[in-house]
Amino acid sequence: MARRPEPDPTTWWARYGHRLEGPPVTNPAQPPAEAAAPAVPEAPRPELPRSEAPRGNPGAAAADLREDAMLRARPDRPRTGWRRALYDVTGGRVNPGPSDAEELRSGLLTRVRAPLAGAHRVAVMSVKGGVGKTTVAACLGQALAEHRGDRAVVLDANPDAGTLADRLTGDSRITVRELLNDLDSVGTWTDVSRYTSLAGRLQILASEQDPASGEAFSRDEYERVVDLLGRFFNIIITDSGTGMVHSTMQGTLARADSVVVVGAPTVDGAGRASKTLDWLVAHGHGDLVRDAVVVLSCDRRSAEVDAARIREHFAQRVRGVVEVPHDPHLATGGRVDPARLRPATADAFLELGALVADAFDVRRRD
């Protein structure tokens, strides 16, 4: 069978192009060998629109193509009050957005969850007892542990049989003394967890409970314990004993990255808190004072005391001041249950956690 001649590419469009774009332009019966009429030029195709890009920096537009830039802005879903009720009833078609209080809380949570490189050690202290130091340490630890994804532990360094474990778990059978005795054999997270108790997501290391043992541990022992905890925990909160001159306090200040000084809006409570700051400055800890947070525990207050003047005094000396309102649940002195705190109290401790977390600047870490 004879092979059919190959089509001439110079005449193919003139012969067969009508099948795609219109009537034939030549006689299809014309022999392939003959010259064809001149080819009809192809009509120009419309140019597709091109997106504009900044001149001189072609990659800038791609860098700006983020999810938040592509999606239309919508108000966040309200979670409380009439705003949430209206949102639920209308199936989300009417969204009034969160209230100012919800926006404030969301901002505090963002600050509490600030990234942290390494371990950060917080010392909660007061030169005067009875102002709520242990309560502040416990609630600060819970606020940070419950709203972050890393590990937090609170250490009772009170040399006089501290009550931190009693306020959080009621379990003080295993203390820091047992950990010290076995310190050389502790090498894993499982090993450490044998000496702590758990309240929610917060780990607690109890202090020595035997009154006959004297000081719970010396400066050297405290530093060894804190160095060990720093291998397994991101946040280490120390509930210091009252007073400033005992051995453990020296170790606490030597290892502290930030301090929380607890006082009260009363003449003696505010005066003692101010003297605590004076003592720290006099002993070479001025950097800790400038970055400190003062907590005013308002269990005791009087209309005769100018609370605003007290707050102003501390605001000029430290980085932040938090007022914790009176709370019937905390006033019992029993075990602390975050679910039973009044909203204003929970918000105050969340604000305290945010102020502490503001110091978690990764650029400042060793």
Side-chain angles (χ1 to χ4, degrees):
M1 181 178 180
R3 183 177 180 181
R4 298 179 60 183
E6 296 289 337
D8 185 354
T10 60
T11 61
W12 184 91
W13 180 263
R15 292 178 176 275
Y16 306 107
H18 66 278
R19 299 181 181 179
L20 300 176
E21 294 189 351
V25 294
T26 59
N27 185 3
Q30 185 177 355
E34 295 181 3
V40 178
E42 182 180 358
R45 299 182 180 181
E47 184 177 357
L48 297 176
R50 298 179 180 177
S51 58
E52 294 291 335
R55 294 182 178 180
N57 188 9
D64 291 339
L65 201 59
R66 302 183 304 270
E67 180 180 350
D68 55 354
M70 292 185 290
L71 296 178
R72 293 186 177 90
R74 295 184 301 174
D76 293 334
R77 175 180 177 178
R79 299 185 180 278
T80 60
W82 65 266
R83 296 169 181 268
R84 176 176 179 177
L86 179 60
Y87 182 93
D88 292 342
V89 168
T90 61
R93 290 186 294 275
V94 178
N95 185 1
S99 63
D100 292 343
E102 287 184 278
E103 292 282 6
L104 176 61
R105 179 177 174 81
S106 177
L108 292 175
L109 287 173
T110 299
R111 292 165 57 192
V112 164
R113 293 163 180 161
L116 173 59
H120 191 91
R121 297 161 290 267
V122 183
V124 181
M125 61 181 58
S126 172
V127 73
K128 173 180 172 56
V131 294
K133 173 180 58 62
T134 296
T135 300
V136 169
C139 293
L140 170 62
Q142 289 178 324
L144 291 173
E146 294 300 324
H147 297 296
R148 294 179 59 87
D150 44 17
R151 294 171 176 171
V153 62
V154 59
L155 164 63
D156 193 344
N158 194 327
D160 302 317
T163 60
L164 178 67
D166 294 333
R167 298 297 307 275
L168 287 170
T169 63
D171 184 3
S172 57
R173 293 170 297 176
I174 300 178
T175 70
V176 67
R177 178 55 57 189
E178 282 74 28
L179 176 60
L180 278 167
N181 294 337
D182 303 334
L183 203 61
D184 294 336
S185 63
V186 176
T188 66
W189 165 251
T190 303
D191 295 336
V192 173
S193 62
R194 295 193 185 104
Y195 301 91
T196 61
S197 54
L198 190 63
R201 298 188 68 251
L202 177 65
Q203 300 279 345
I204 301 97
L205 182 55
S207 67
E208 174 62 61
Q209 298 295 301
D210 184 3
S213 66
E215 283 196 349
F217 47 147
S218 65
R219 170 178 179 168
D220 177 67
E221 291 174 326
Y222 171 83
E223 292 179 350
R224 290 170 60 199
V225 168
V226 170
D227 291 344
L228 173 69
L229 295 177
R231 293 165 48 194
F232 302 99
F233 294 93
N234 303 92
I235 302 172
I236 305 166
I237 301 172
T238 297
D239 178 18
S240 307
T242 55
M244 305 296 294
V245 296
H246 55 84
S247 175
T248 307
M249 179 59 75
Q250 298 174 20
T252 301
L253 293 174
R255 287 292 190 269
D257 296 304
S258 57
V259 298
V260 174
V261 178
V262 183
T266 60
V267 174
D268 60 341
R272 293 297 182 181
S274 185
K275 289 183 182 298
T276 301
L277 298 177
D278 293 339
W279 188 93
L280 290 171
V281 172
H283 288 78
H285 300 290
D287 54 339
L288 288 177
V289 170
R290 287 187 294 272
D291 200 41
V293 179
V294 168
V295 176
L296 298 175
S297 181
C298 300
D299 273 342
R300 294 188 301 120
R301 65 186 311 164
S302 170
E304 298 181 7
V305 177
D306 189 350
R309 177 69 185 89
I310 293 175
R311 183 184 182 100
E312 180 183 357
H313 166 80
F314 287 113
Q316 294 173 353
R317 302 193 63 183
V318 300
R319 182 165 57 85
V321 181
V322 177
E323 293 185 28
V324 177
H326 170 76
D327 192 291
H329 174 59
L330 297 179
T332 64
R335 193 175 303 179
V336 177
D337 181 359
R340 297 182 61 185
L341 296 177
R342 287 179 172 177
T345 307
D347 289 344
F349 284 118
L350 186 62
E351 180 185 0
L352 174 60
L355 283 168
V356 170
D358 287 342
F360 294 171
D361 189 341
V362 295
R363 294 169 298 180
R364 296 172 52 185
R365 309 307 303 151
D366 295 333

